[in-house]
């Protein structure tokens, strides 16, 4: 898997016709107020268990710091924070952060920060772990996003990525495709009150990496021991990798961002 410079469209993203960063920001701004609800409805509330699985896989607890990149309204980061870990959620879409703020007060252990996941405002090895839920597909350069997460996690810390994936089963695959193509865009628009916004999902999911390719991309981006767990009959993939040994640094040493959580 070749590394690409920030700003250049990754082939999987280019092939899908995924909108560029400004368009992604606009797209999520338009549905921010109902985004979390739409996730629950579209997944029959399974998204809660996917986020819990990702949080557990990070193996962090009280006294640790975790990054939630592309945090949106913060649901994944909050699942991590419930284990006692302090979380820095980063997203470049202000309305998504604003919609998440009521659920993520400082007392919840999560700070929401407006920033680009491709240029994180964190020093090298600043946190003990990092996660990204359904954000990687939206990045104009997924490899750069993975490298940024690996950069800010201390050696030995974990990086977890939750993403959609296509089931491989003979029955589950066509059912999933039909759901994503025909049901999900309509239901998503109905819940969020938008028009055509959820059409981006079948576009991006259909062209996305399969789990083995994503694991290879993670390895190419500096992550070791990459494992993949399929959830929801393979409709979702949870990849977890470990940041390789590098120069030692203090765990949980926050960089430029010093949230008060
Ligand atoms: C599908 S939502 C996922 C939100 C949340 N992680 C979840 O699990 O529901 C994708 C999020 O990625 C954000 N995003 C996309 N590209 C980004 C970038 N370059 N930097 C920061 N956030 C980005 C969008 O603003 C959006 O909130």
């Amino acid at each position: 898997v070749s590394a690409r410079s920030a700003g250049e469209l990754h082939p999987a993203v280019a092939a899908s016709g995924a909108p560029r960063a400004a368009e992604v920001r606009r797209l999520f701004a338009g549905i921010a107020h109902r985004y979390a609800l739409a996730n629950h409805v579209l997944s029959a509330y399974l998204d809660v268990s996917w986020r819990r699985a990702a949080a557990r896989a990070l193996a962090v607890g009280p006294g640790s710091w975790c990054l939630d990149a592309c945090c949106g309204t913060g649901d994944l980061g909050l699942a991590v924070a419930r284990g006692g870990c302090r979380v820095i959620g980063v997203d470049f879409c202000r309305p998504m952060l604003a919609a998440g703020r009521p659920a993520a007060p400082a007392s919840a252990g999560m700070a929401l920060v407006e920033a680009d996941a491709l240029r994180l405002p964190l020093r090298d090895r600043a946190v003990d772990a990092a996660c990204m839920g359904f954000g990687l597909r939206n990045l104009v350069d997924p490899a750069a996003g993975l490298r940024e997460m690996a950069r800010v996690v201390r050696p030995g810390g974990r990086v977890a990525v939750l993403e959609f994936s296509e089931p491989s089963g003979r029955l589950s695959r066509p059912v999933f495709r039909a759901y994503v193509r025909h049901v999900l865009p309509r239901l998503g628009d109905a819940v969020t009150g938008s028009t055509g916004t959820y059409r981006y999902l079948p576009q991006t999911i259909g062209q996305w990496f399969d789990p083995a390719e994503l694991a290879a991309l993670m390895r190419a981006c500096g992550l070791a021991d990459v494992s993949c767990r399929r959830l929801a009959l393979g409709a979702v993939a949870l990849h977890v990798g470990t940041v390789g040994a590098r120069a030692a640094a203090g765990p949980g040493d926050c960089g430029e961002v010093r949230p008060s959580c």
Side-chain angles (χ1 to χ4, degrees):
V1 180
S2 64
R4 292 177 165 255
S5 62
E8 189 182 351
L9 278 180
H10 186 280
V13 182
S16 72
R20 307 274 329 228
E23 233 175 294
V24 169
R25 206 185 281 118
R26 203 167 37 244
L27 185 149
F28 285 103
I31 57 172
H33 61 300
R34 295 256 179 89
Y35 171 79
L37 173 67
N39 281 344
H40 298 329
V41 172
L42 294 171
S43 71
Y45 267 87
L46 287 174
D47 64 316
V48 175
S49 63
W50 303 335
R51 290 190 176 83
R52 271 196 212 127
R56 274 197 302 272
L58 290 171
V60 284
S64 303
W65 283 88
C66 177
L67 163 77
D68 178 8
C70 296
C71 66
T73 53
D75 281 5
L76 177 54
L78 280 172
V80 179
R82 270 180 212 114
C85 176
R86 283 167 295 173
V87 179
I88 304 161
V90 168
D91 201 284
F92 70 4
C93 179
R94 193 175 296 179
M96 287 288 273
L97 296 173
R101 281 217 163 86
S107 57
M110 181 169 188
L112 299 174
V113 177
E114 185 178 344
D116 193 333
L118 299 177
R119 276 174 303 161
L120 292 166
L122 293 168
R123 283 203 297 260
D124 294 357
R125 305 169 223 119
V127 292
D128 300 293
C131 55
M132 188 183 279
F134 308 101
L136 202 60
R137 249 176 328 106
N138 295 289
L139 296 180
V140 292
D141 187 341
L146 290 169
R147 281 197 301 273
E148 263 300 81
M149 286 202 286
R151 177 184 71 75
V152 302
V153 172
R154 65 166 169 79
R158 293 188 183 171
V159 171
V161 176
L162 262 182
E163 257 308 344
F164 289 111
S165 143
E166 288 212 306
S168 49
R170 279 208 327 210
L171 234 153
S172 51
R173 193 181 185 103
V175 169
F176 173 80
R177 283 188 173 169
Y179 176 75
V180 165
R181 265 185 219 155
H182 304 297
V183 182
L184 194 148
R186 290 181 178 86
L187 199 52
D189 280 353
V191 176
T192 57
S194 60
T195 310
T197 302
Y198 276 79
R199 273 205 301 263
Y200 87 95
L201 266 176
Q203 286 170 6
T204 55
I205 294 171
Q207 302 292 335
W208 186 237
F209 300 105
D210 69 31
E213 289 172 336
L214 182 51
L217 183 66
M218 288 176 71
R219 281 185 215 103
C221 293
L223 296 162
D225 302 327
V226 178
S227 65
C228 171
R229 185 176 157 203
R230 310 288 298 263
L231 304 165
L233 299 175
V236 169
L238 169 60
H239 285 78
V240 183
T242 303
V243 174
R246 290 180 307 209
D253 169 23
C254 251
E256 291 161 45
V257 176
R258 291 185 180 278
S260 55
C261 62

